Amino acid sequence: PRNSLPQGKTGERAELAGLAPEQKEERIMAGGVPFFSLVSMPGHVGLYLGTHPVETPGKGPDSSRETPVMFHNIWGLRVVSGWGENKREGRGVIGKAVVTTLSPGIEHEIISSPAGLLDRINGLAILPEKE
């Protein structure tokens, strides 16, 4: 399919809406097939690539955990600048195809949505293999 809504419904679908962010990551890692699964959310899909070790915040460089990563196009991330009455929310423009975790930019203090895309993810579509 050409658009994200029908793409996210292709193949065998696992519903992720209503789960906590950690539960969504666990389900994606447990059920996703690298390069054959689509992570979906309203208006957006990404190709699940597998897992990658990511440093656990506050635990030092020798502490990491596996986290799902995906390939997708991203226009930008919501960012906050200023403080007090000068505080403004805007968009940090990326405008590229990228490989990210499900929480791109979470390591930066200016990102206004700490869970990143995880808040919006509602499904995992496992694509059928050609016979």
Side-chain angles (χ1 to χ4, degrees), residues 35-88:
F35 299 95
F36 281 93
S37 299
L38 298 176
V39 176
S40 64
M41 63 203 78
H44 194 67
V45 293
L47 179 65
Y48 173 65
L49 299 178
T51 62
H52 183 73
V54 173
E55 187 178 310
T56 306
K59 303 283 185 176
D62 294 333
S63 176
S64 66
R65 65 179 179 85
E66 291 294 314
T67 188
V69 293
M70 67 178 186
F71 173 76
H72 59 121
N73 286 311
I74 189 167
W75 177 246
L77 296 172
R78 290 186 184 113
V79 296
V80 176
S81 62
W83 44 85
E85 58 183 59
N86 292 324
K87 187 174 182 178
R88 302 265 188 284

Side-chain angles (χ1 to χ4, degrees), residues 109-130:
E109 293 177 3
I110 64 169
I111 299 301
S112 68
S113 177
L117 300 175
L118 272 171
D119 286 341
R120 297 177 43 222
I121 290 172
N122 63 9
L124 177 69
I126 301 166
L127 303 173
E129 292 188 36
K130 291 219 176 203

